[in-house]
Amino acid sequence: TISQISVEGNTLISTPALLAKIPYRIGERFRRHKTPQLIRSIYSLGYFSGIAVDTRRLDDESIALIVRLTEKPKIDRIEYEG
């Protein structure tokens, strides 16, 4: 059973906005077949170049779901010449 869901590596999009895209909810059983849907959903936002989904056992009955993100580099300036 999922007891915790955390998101790491996000600075451009808020954690609540990302949690809304995650097809898992606290209290439900972890089912691996939902993981590709999670990855597609977050990739579709266009802000991330890498997404990793990990689990960590908390006790005999519960796990923590960890979504680790790598953001695409942001453009900080554009120069025009000519």
Side-chain angles (χ1 to χ4, degrees):
T1 304
I2 299 169
S3 294
Q4 298 175 8
I5 300 174
S6 63
V7 180
E8 300 174 355
N10 56 308
T11 59
L12 300 173
I13 297 181
S14 72
T15 298
L18 290 166
L19 289 173
K21 293 285 192 179
I22 295 174
Y24 295 106
R25 298 290 171 252
I26 290 176
E28 73 178 25
R29 261 181 98 201
F30 177 74
R31 301 191 188 280
R32 289 197 186 280
H33 73 274
K34 287 185 173 186
T35 301
Q37 177 186 351
L38 179 157
I39 292 169
R40 281 191 304 272
S41 180
I42 292 178
Y43 265 129
S44 73
L45 296 171
Y47 290 93
F48 304 99
S49 61
I51 301 169
V53 179
D54 296 316
T55 58
R56 187 179 75 237
R57 183 157 297 284
L58 299 174
D59 58 39
D60 289 342
E61 296 180 9
S62 62
I63 64 164
L65 180 70
I66 305 126
V67 180
R68 292 187 172 93
L69 305 171
T70 303
E71 292 180 335
K72 290 181 179 178
K74 82 177 177 180
I75 299 171
D76 59 354
R77 72 181 169 169
I78 299 175
E79 290 184 25
Y80 293 97
E81 289 186 25

